[in-house]
Amino acid sequence: MTQRVKLAVVGAGLIGKRHIQHVLAEPSAQLSAVVDPTLAGETIAKEAGVRWFPNFAEMIAADRPDGIIVATPNPVHVQNGLEAVEAGIPALIEKPIADDIVSGEKLIAAAEAKGVPLLTGHHRRHNPVMQKGKEIIESGKLGRVLVVNAMFWLFKPDDYFDISWRRERGAGPVFLNLIHDVDNLRYLFGDVAAIQARESNAVRGNAVEETAVILIEFKNGVLGTATVSDAVVAPWSWEMTTGENPAYPKTQQSCYLIGGTHGSLAVPSLEVWRNPGKRSWWEPFDQTRIEVDDEDPLVLQIRQFCKVIRGDEPPLVSGREGLKTLRVVDAVKRSAATGERIELN
């Protein structure tokens, strides 16, 4: 049997705790340490039966892991990533990989110069639904894909905003939620050529947006729209349609609609709609639902991280991929602020 990969989790907040539990349950991995400066972090390490360290430097001095999972607050992702790169340790960094493009470029350049694998925690690419959706698109079953419509519509209750940073710039649904959908769309359709966006805060009046509408031009010619709002009561979001996170109620709806010259696809239901004979608006439809295994993508992400550390396969979502997704979200914010169409190089 292959020796288990030693993983340390840096940051023991909400997502950090989920990573800790998944590493503990993963046969190919071994949790070696929890790194977190708080008393809560020390308690979590004790409950997990592993060593606790207040910072990365003390951990490295005492026990070197094979890889680290960075689940700290966004502003320190780059600092933690650079610490891992300097030590030559592969790192899986929660999204966004950086707070801004310049620091993200610095981190990616450092990792590539030293040959240290960096992965970005856009875990939804690991979801079997996304894998099968990409397979259907690339099979040609839909013909030439022309258009995609993505929705993130839900209602965050008033007490969600009792925490002050959630009302400030950078904390709205574009950065916190749409970034996942952008990464999903990039995985399905490739790189983005240009963005145009509009935002509104008409309901709550906070410094941050609550609604945004985005036009997306992909380099392969696909045109897309993405609408995001955390101020509407609705069932059309990844959270509400996939059952991926048990914290949210699951609806029998879809949040992405993908249209091609020979058929259309709904995600995550994986319903394929085609004309069985002649393609025409007067013809009946053949509707097929594709079945996939229900697996937790966070578990699959950790499993793949172990394979990357062993050198068995490349990252599904590299640090550079994470930076490309961040560039698109940055373009959304710039376009909404200026009203201009933003081209991405």
Side-chain angles (χ1 to χ4, degrees):
M1 182 176 176
T2 306
Q3 188 174 0
R4 291 192 295 171
V5 175
K6 287 173 55 179
L7 298 178
V9 175
V10 182
L14 290 176
I15 188 63
K17 285 187 283 189
R18 290 184 72 190
H19 283 306
I20 287 165
Q21 293 306 313
H22 289 319
V23 173
L24 287 170
E26 173 53 44
S28 63
Q30 172 190 347
L31 184 66
S32 64
V34 171
V35 181
D36 189 289
T38 66
L39 289 175
E42 185 176 8
T43 299
I44 289 166
K46 186 175 181 181
E47 291 172 349
V50 299
R51 297 184 71 177
W52 167 80
F53 298 96
N55 56 60
F56 185 91
E58 289 191 30
M59 176 194 68
I60 287 295
D63 185 22
R64 179 186 177 88
D66 299 316
I68 68 165
I69 298 174
V70 175
T72 49
N74 294 357
V76 289
H77 282 182
V78 169
Q79 175 191 327
N80 297 142
L82 288 171
E83 288 174 327
V85 169
E86 182 61 30
I89 297 174
L92 166 61
I93 302 175
E94 265 302 327
K95 66 84 190 171
I97 194 162
D99 246 9
D100 61 85
I101 304 301
V102 172
S103 59
E105 287 176 337
K106 178 182 176 183
L107 172 59
I108 302 305
E112 290 178 349
K114 292 197 68 170
V116 178
L118 281 188
L119 291 73
T120 310
H122 284 296
H123 64 280
R124 292 176 182 174
R125 290 199 195 190
H126 294 268
N127 194 309
V129 166
M130 284 295 296
Q131 299 278 322
K132 180 58 71 172
K134 186 175 179 67
E135 181 183 313
I136 291 168
I137 291 167
E138 293 180 347
S139 73
K141 193 170 188 176
L142 306 182
R144 178 181 175 181
V145 174
L146 300 177
V147 65
V148 57
N149 176 34
M151 299 173 69
F152 173 90
W153 291 14
L154 49 66
F155 190 86
K156 294 177 182 175
D158 293 342
D159 56 9
Y160 173 88
F161 298 96
D162 289 345
I163 299 172
S164 62
W165 68 264
R166 291 174 174 169
R167 303 190 300 270
E168 302 302 325
R169 295 187 183 281
V174 168
F175 263 118
L176 295 184
N177 307 110
L178 181 72
I179 190 170
H180 280 301
D181 299 298
V182 166
D183 192 72
N184 280 353
L185 296 179
R186 286 193 57 253
Y187 181 57
L188 294 177
F189 306 113
D191 287 336
V192 173
I195 288 288
Q196 192 152 9
R198 294 292 185 274
E199 292 180 349
S200 169
N201 63 349
V203 175
R204 301 189 185 103
N206 292 330
V208 69
E209 84 286 343
E210 61 208 10
T211 303
V213 177
I214 301 101
L215 297 177
I216 308 170
E217 302 170 40
F218 292 90
K219 288 186 176 180
N220 64 2
V222 172
L223 297 179
T225 60
T227 53
V228 54
S229 180
D230 62 13
V232 295
V233 176
W236 302 296
S237 64
W238 186 267
E239 283 77 358
M240 303 294 180
T241 59
T242 61
E244 187 179 276
N245 187 335
Y248 301 100
K250 183 180 179 181
T251 67
Q252 300 301 313
Q253 300 290 319
S254 288
C255 57
Y256 303 158
L257 299 177
I258 299 161
T261 56
H262 286 68
S264 293
L265 171 68
V267 176
S269 67
L270 295 182
E271 290 177 340
V272 177
W273 296 77
R274 291 161 51 96
N275 295 132
K278 179 183 177 181
R279 290 178 291 151
S280 169
W281 60 356
W282 288 301
E283 296 298 315
F285 284 103
D286 174 35
Q287 178 191 2
T288 306
R289 182 184 286 259
I290 310 298
E291 299 294 332
V292 295
D293 294 333
D294 184 16
E295 295 184 85
D296 188 331
L298 284 174
V299 172
L300 298 176
Q301 179 179 245
I302 287 171
R303 199 167 293 164
Q304 208 251 345
F305 186 30
C306 292
K307 292 177 183 178
V308 171
I309 292 170
R310 290 196 178 104
D312 294 339
E313 58 186 64
L316 178 63
V317 195
S318 67
R320 185 160 290 284
E321 278 294 292
L323 183 61
K324 286 182 178 180
T325 293
L326 182 62
R327 285 185 186 279
V328 176
V329 175
D330 176 72
V332 169
K333 297 301 293 183
R334 287 191 287 130
S335 176
T338 64
E340 297 176 354
R341 175 178 174 272
I342 306 292
E343 293 188 2
L344 289 94
N345 296 324

